[in-house]
Amino acid sequence: ARTILPEIEDQPMTLVGHLEELRWRILWSLFYWIVACFICYQLVPKLLDWVKPLLQGNKLIFTNPTEGFFAYLNAAMVGGACLAAPIFLYHFLMFVLPGLEKSERRWIYRLLPLSIFQFLLGCAFALKLVLPGTMGFFLGFATAELVPQLKIGEFVGFVVTVTVICGIIFELPIVLLFLAGIGLVSSKFLARHRRMAYFLAFVVAAVATPTPDAFTAVVVALPILINYEVSLWLIKFCGK
């Protein structure tokens, strides 16, 4: 498979050599992440304008002097991580690929573009369906006497957390396809453990969601279940 990655050379390396390589790859990744954070910090006002429809006409407030700054910083750090993700992925692959078999590398090369697409699809799913649905549900409790006042820190944290969680959830088919490709799971195995998978989906959703209500957990659990069933069908259709 032709990729943008350089040819992997199977050369033995000492433990000290591995640790030295890991250190430099982590430092370079951190450097590019910091640069990306500075870029994203300047774009946070535009990003807030982009998600303003979620507020349904309500205004954001902050109740202490530092809350606005840390809300911007939180959004910039997550946005910087997304922006620098290709560099993170490159250094990660360059570190782990020499330790994999050629068949395992071939599956990673095949699934890498799809994994990026799936993450972006998950983020879009969160922004277009999950967040409007959950915000509409919660703001629907507003009355003339019960006026919503949304703190910017909690709002940004909620949007960022749900978006990233959905992006990660949509990676499930990629993980299961890779495991099927190297022979660790099969469609029969996934079908046999469907009940356990459904139970774990709701547990993960309940733990991962930033609010303790059952509605948000159910909304987040649904894409997990859908991706699980899609993975089962893909593995069954494609074979090992």
Side-chain angles (χ1 to χ4, degrees):
R2 298 184 61 185
T3 68
I4 60 173
L5 297 173
E7 188 70 22
I8 303 298
E9 298 182 359
D10 297 319
Q11 295 181 350
M13 186 180 295
T14 64
L15 176 60
V16 175
H18 280 297
L19 294 176
E20 182 70 14
E21 180 189 3
L22 178 62
R23 182 171 70 92
W24 281 108
R25 293 197 182 280
I26 291 176
L27 288 176
W28 276 114
S29 298
L30 287 175
F31 170 76
Y32 284 107
W33 178 50
I34 292 172
V35 173
C37 287
F38 276 108
I39 296 174
C40 290
Y41 188 87
Q42 308 301 320
L43 302 176
V44 171
K46 294 184 179 179
L47 294 176
L48 289 176
D49 289 336
W50 190 39
V51 298
K52 187 180 292 184
L54 296 175
L55 298 172
Q56 299 184 7
N58 296 287
K59 294 184 179 297
L60 294 174
I61 65 170
F62 58 92
T63 57
N64 64 68
T66 61
E67 185 175 1
F69 168 73
F70 282 109
Y72 272 51
L73 187 61
N74 182 22
M77 290 173 66
V78 176
C82 294
L83 187 62
I87 296 175
F88 298 162
L89 189 59
Y90 170 81
H91 284 292
F92 174 76
L93 291 176
M94 289 297 97
F95 183 75
V96 303
L97 283 179
L100 299 178
E101 299 292 338
K102 290 185 178 181
S103 60
E104 295 169 339
R105 296 177 193 170
R106 184 168 63 250
W107 270 101
I108 289 180
Y109 292 152
R110 291 174 178 175
L111 296 177
L112 182 59
L114 186 58
S115 67
I116 298 174
F117 171 78
Q118 283 291 111
F119 182 82
L120 296 177
L121 183 62
C123 293
F125 177 82
L127 292 171
K128 295 297 183 181
L129 294 176
V130 178
L131 286 170
T134 53
M135 290 295 295
F137 174 78
F138 293 129
L139 293 178
F141 290 95
T143 63
E145 293 77 22
L146 185 62
V147 181
Q149 292 184 328
L150 305 177
K151 297 171 63 176
I152 184 173
E154 295 178 355
F155 174 75
V156 170
F158 180 77
V159 171
V160 167
T161 302
V162 173
T163 302
V164 173
I165 286 176
C166 287
I168 295 174
I169 286 172
F170 272 68
E171 296 293 335
L172 181 61
I174 308 301
V175 175
L176 293 179
L177 278 173
F178 175 75
L179 295 177
I182 61 177
L184 293 182
V185 299
S186 65
S187 59
K188 293 182 179 180
F189 175 86
L190 296 178
R192 188 167 61 250
H193 293 84
R194 180 183 275 114
R195 290 184 179 180
M196 179 60 68
Y198 278 39
F199 171 75
L200 291 176
F202 282 97
V203 171
V204 170
V207 173
T209 48
T211 57
D213 61 282
F215 179 79
T216 305
V218 171
V219 171
V220 173
L222 285 177
I224 301 179
L225 304 181
I226 294 172
N227 278 280
Y228 186 85
E229 295 295 337
V230 169
S231 304
L232 194 156
W233 181 84
L234 285 174
I235 294 172
K236 185 176 181 180
F237 178 78
C238 300
K240 180 182 175 183

